[in-house]
């Protein structure tokens, strides 16, 4: 485990540079969103009182998720949290402040990483140096093995070219006894793959927490994008607006029957990962003996 008395994250080798063009669409989204408050207003309208405005994440992050992640991480002050696929950093920075821990975040988008770096003082004040952000991919973090006491990954795994490889890489970075807390989703009829991925990464499934409100949140957001299409074009530009509207058109039909969960994986403190029984909250609308639940794709 890392030294809890350290005041800043440990140094890491330079992260591999993502392939040219892979970050372009995310760079464009984050740059466009920074020019207007329209996107944040639509997220807030879709989520209502559950929207954590300070975090301003481009994800399904809401107040219930922040509270659940805080409980599942079980972190001691001063330890190191890694925010994998951090976007503009709000989730990791909020957790770093709430849990009094150090933070290393990484994202595919250099634009998002620059914005996250600029946000540090707002959350951490004079302690901003205890958080750092870097450009890296989920499959190639460039972080030292076993450096992280905990990892969060919110709505980012869907961007990975190889989800299994990404889970293995995050498992490599996780210290013995540490936890990886990540959002996952399934379309109706898809077989969950997370337990097999966890075993391959040397991790065990500790908790599977259902998020029954997540599909409805995405549905409201996508419908708002469609209603405000002209404003999106005017505020964000035709290219970015069309990208968002295309996502809404493609994703809306997949939401009925979607199952969303918060998955907590743990690296055993000693010895190889063995079989473990997950602590599962009941999945709404399903009974024992029902068939497979639902393929995974993370929205914007």
């Amino acid at each position: 485990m890392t030294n809890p008395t350290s005041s800043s994250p440990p140094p890491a080798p330079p992260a591999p540079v993502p392939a040219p063009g892979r970050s372009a669409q995310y760079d464009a989204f984050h740059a466009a969103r920074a020019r207007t408050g329209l996107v944040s207003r639509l997220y807030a309208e879709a989520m209502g009182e559950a929207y954590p405005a300070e975090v301003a994440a481009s994800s399904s992050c809401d107040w219930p998720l922040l509270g659940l992640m805080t409980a599942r991480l079980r972190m001691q002050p001063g330890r190191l949290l890694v925010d994998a696929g951090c976007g503009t950093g709000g989730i990791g920075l909020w957790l770093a402040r709430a849990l009094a821990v150090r933070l290393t975040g990484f994202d595919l988008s250099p634009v998002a990483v620059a914005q996250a770096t600029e946000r540090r003082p707002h959350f951490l004040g004079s302690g901003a140096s205890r958080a750092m952000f870097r450009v890296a991919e989920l499959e190639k973090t460039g972080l030292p093995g076993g450096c992280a006491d905990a990892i969060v990954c919110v709505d980012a795994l869907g961007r990975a070219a190889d989800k299994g490889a990404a889970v293995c890489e995050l498992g490599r970075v996780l210290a013995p006894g540490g936890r990886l807390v990540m959002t996952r989703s399934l379309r109706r009829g898809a077989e969950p793959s997370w337990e097999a991925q966890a075993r391959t990464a040397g991790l065990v499934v500790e908790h599977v927490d259902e998020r029954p409100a997540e599909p409805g949140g995405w549905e409201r957001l996508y419908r708002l994008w469609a209603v405000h299409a002209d404003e999106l074009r005017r505020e964000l530009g035709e290219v970015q607006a069309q990208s968002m509207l295309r996502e809404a058109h493609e994703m809306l039909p997949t939401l009925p029957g979607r199952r969303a969960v918060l998955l907590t994986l743990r690296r055993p403190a000693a010895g190889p990962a063995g079989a473990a029984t997950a602590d599962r909250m009941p999945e709404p609308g399903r009974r024992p003996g029902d068939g497979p639940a639902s393929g995974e794709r993370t929205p914007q």
Side-chain angles (χ1 to χ4, degrees), residues 156-209:
L157 193 67
R159 301 203 297 257
D162 184 331
K163 296 181 182 65
V167 174
C168 283
E169 171 64 3
L170 296 179
R172 181 191 67 81
V173 172
L174 194 62
R179 293 177 173 87
L180 165 59
V181 176
M182 62 195 318
T183 56
R184 302 294 298 263
S185 62
L186 294 170
R187 292 183 185 177
R188 184 186 297 277
E191 192 79 30
S193 59
W194 50 63
E195 295 205 29
Q197 290 172 348
R199 285 194 299 270
T200 301
L203 308 175
V204 295
V205 177
E206 188 171 61
H207 298 282
V208 181
D209 292 295

Side-chain angles (χ1 to χ4, degrees), residues 234-257:
R234 185 167 58 251
E235 297 279 340
L236 304 180
E238 182 67 27
V239 173
Q240 183 56 43
Q242 281 301 115
S243 175
M244 294 169 66
L245 294 170
R246 182 169 55 251
E247 177 185 324
H249 177 75
E250 292 174 354
M251 292 298 295
L252 273 169
T254 73
L255 295 176

